[in-house]
């Protein structure tokens, strides 16, 4: 997967989406839903057209910038450190793949994630 801020901007470095998406099966016909929150593709065993299925997976922004399994104030601080940059880690809004810029739209996505997934205040990481 690679993204760019707009149609005239350069592409960022491609990222492998991992074995769930990039499987050993023959995957093709990738496409996005009109609202941009679902990725559709065909997948199946190469050479057996009767076994191909249409798959749909939600595109969810990754808000755990620290990678420790929780989204908390440490992730907010990381976003603020990358404020007004094109950092792809923190560019999670307005669409899950971002828009090439870290700003209030990304903070809204992060805040909504934190509000809908509250953490135990006794288990908060600070930078
Ligand atoms: Ca985190
Ligand atoms: Ca953004």
């Amino acid at each position: 997967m690679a993204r760019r801020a707009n149609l005239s901007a350069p592409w960022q470095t491609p990222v492998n989406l991992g074995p769930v998406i990039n499987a050993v099966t023959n995957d093709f016909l990738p496409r996005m839903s009109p609202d941009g929150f679902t990725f559709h593709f065909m997948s199946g065993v190469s050479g057996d057209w009767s076994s191909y299925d249409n798959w749909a997976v939600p595109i969810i922004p990754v808000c755990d910038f620290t990678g420790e399994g929780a989204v908390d104030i440490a992730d907010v601080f990381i976003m603020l450190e990358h404020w007004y940059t094109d950092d792809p880690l923190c560019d999670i809004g307005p669409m899950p793949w971002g828009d090439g810029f870290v700003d209030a739209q990304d903070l809204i996505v992060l805040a909504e994630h934190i509000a809908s997934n509250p953490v135990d205040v006794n288990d908060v990481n600070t930078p």
Side-chain angles (χ1 to χ4, degrees):
M1 188 266 315
R3 57 188 186 173
R4 57 184 175 173
N6 56 57
L7 292 177
S8 59
W11 289 97
Q12 294 177 341
T13 303
V15 176
N16 188 324
L17 296 177
V20 173
I21 295 295
N22 195 19
V24 297
T25 55
N26 187 20
D27 305 325
F28 61 100
L29 200 55
R31 57 213 183 273
M32 300 295 297
S33 64
D35 68 1
F37 285 90
T38 307
F39 178 69
H40 298 265
F41 63 100
M42 299 292 290
S43 183
V45 179
S46 181
D48 182 4
W49 287 99
S50 65
S51 68
Y52 283 94
D53 294 314
N54 185 32
W55 291 83
V57 294
I59 301 172
I60 303 168
V62 176
C63 299
D64 179 15
F65 307 139
T66 58
E68 92 286 19
V71 180
D72 54 28
I73 193 68
D75 302 294
V76 175
F77 280 119
I78 289 175
M79 177 174 280
L80 295 178
E81 290 170 0
H82 295 93
W83 201 250
Y84 290 147
T85 71
D86 63 352
D87 181 74
L89 176 69
C90 298
D91 185 19
I92 57 174
M95 306 304 281
W97 59 85
D99 62 354
F101 198 64
V102 179
D103 61 9
Q105 292 179 317
D106 306 287
L107 186 58
I108 290 170
V109 172
L110 183 59
E112 288 175 346
H113 181 91
I114 291 172
S116 61
N117 301 282
V119 296
D120 184 341
V121 294
N122 297 314
D123 192 30
V124 172
N125 297 311
T126 54

